[in-house]
Amino acid sequence: QVTLRESGPALVKPTQTVTLTCTFSGFSLSTSGMSVSWIRQPPGKALEWLARIDWDDEKYYNTYLKTRLTISKDTSKNQVVLKVTTVDPVDTATYYCARDYGAFGDTWGQGMLVTVSS
Amino acid sequence: DIQMTQSPSSLSASVGDRVTITCRASQSISIYLNWFQQRPGKAPKLLIYSASNLHSGVPSRFSGSGSGTDFTLTISGLQPEDFATYYCLQTHYLHSFGQGTRLDFK
């Protein structure tokens, strides 16, 4: 059974860096063709794709946010980490991770709300 | 970057109706288009991938079509559990979602 779960701080202050972790099971990110993405959704708004990391460590970023995002993986721990620098209240959102193995988003985590506030 | 435009942004319908949601890409994306359903407070669920392929476990009343820049999601015979928000996503170049279509009871 494939599962993903997001974790990290629920509350961060403006200008800080937030580190989010996606811990998964039921698949390996060393499998050819496997990818994990991060997506976010501000309250009441649409989904926004943020970043993706592939099995071969290729990385892709949202054009408008790329200077603030860093995605990485630890295959041995079955984790994908997303760092978002210089956060602002507009970064308040539910953050999801999702798997892509032939079909983007075949499995998603439950999501976690990150609130940016002083 | 590729912009995805969904229409309508909201839609009212009744159980048993047939509804169609459209998604237009700002440039050709071949068939690299997925559809998701999201219920309030829940993570999105994959319905359709590669424009017209039904994801495992998804009821056959959902169907997708299109290629290039114009795509449609059709739900034939709405069920109560189908009232939700639907998103398209392009995976041709990076990824980008449409703004969503909210489907509610008439």
Side-chain angles (χ1 to χ4, degrees):
Chain A
Q1 181 189 5
V2 173
T3 65
L4 303 96
R5 185 184 76 251
E6 305 85 357
S7 60
L11 179 64
V12 294
K13 289 180 167 46
T15 76
Q16 288 185 339
T17 293
V18 62
T19 299
L20 302 174
T21 301
C22 175
T23 303
F24 55 86
S25 63
F27 66 96
S28 172
L29 200 38
S30 61
T31 299
S32 178
M34 194 73 70
S35 302
V36 171
S37 279
W38 282 94
I39 304 100
R40 72 180 181 181
Q41 185 172 39
K45 296 189 177 180
L47 299 164
E48 179 180 38
W49 175 78
L50 299 177
R52 183 184 108 200
I53 190 163
D54 293 351
W55 64 280
D56 57 359
D57 212 37
E58 285 291 320
K59 300 163 187 173
Y60 304 87
Y61 295 99
N62 179 304
T63 300
Y64 303 103
L65 295 168
K66 63 188 301 182
T67 60
R68 300 175 50 218
L69 301 175
T70 303
I71 193 169
S72 61
K73 64 181 174 71
D74 186 330
T75 304
S76 64
K77 292 183 178 179
N78 282 350
Q79 291 181 334
V80 172
V81 173
L82 180 73
K83 292 188 178 183
V84 185
T85 62
T86 323
V87 296
D88 180 270
V90 299
D91 295 311
T92 294
T94 296
Y95 286 75
Y96 297 98
C97 57
R99 188 183 81 150
D100 180 350
Y101 187 46
F104 181 103
D106 64 356
T107 311
W108 293 61
Q110 63 185 16
M112 68 164 297
L113 177 63
V114 177
T115 300
V116 181
S117 174
S118 55
Chain B
D1 284 17
I2 299 175
Q3 312 301 320
M4 305 302 294
T5 303
Q6 279 182 242
S7 61
S9 56
S10 64
L11 176 60
S12 296
S14 302
V15 172
D17 284 354
R18 180 176 186 268
V19 299
T20 298
I21 298 168
T22 65
C23 188
R24 174 164 289 176
S26 60
Q27 64 189 73
S28 178
I29 58 170
S30 184
I31 61 167
Y32 295 100
L33 191 285
N34 293 1
W35 289 98
F36 296 88
Q37 176 193 68
Q38 187 179 34
R39 298 190 177 106
K42 301 295 186 182
K45 290 186 176 181
L46 178 64
L47 299 174
I48 302 285
Y49 64 96
S50 299
S52 61
N53 294 281
L54 197 65
H55 181 54
S56 176
V58 175
S60 59
R61 63 180 179 272
F62 292 91
S63 63
S65 64
S67 65
T69 61
D70 294 314
F71 301 85
T72 60
L73 172 70
T74 300
I75 312 171
S76 300
L78 274 173
Q79 297 299 301
E81 61 268 29
D82 299 338
F83 292 92
T85 300
Y86 293 85
Y87 292 93
C88 62
L89 166 79
Q90 69 82 18
T91 61
H92 177 65
Y93 174 70
L94 300 180
H95 304 304
S96 44
F97 287 92
Q99 80 277 20
T101 296
R102 179 176 174 175
L103 175 59
D104 58 22
F105 289 101
K106 185 181 291 184

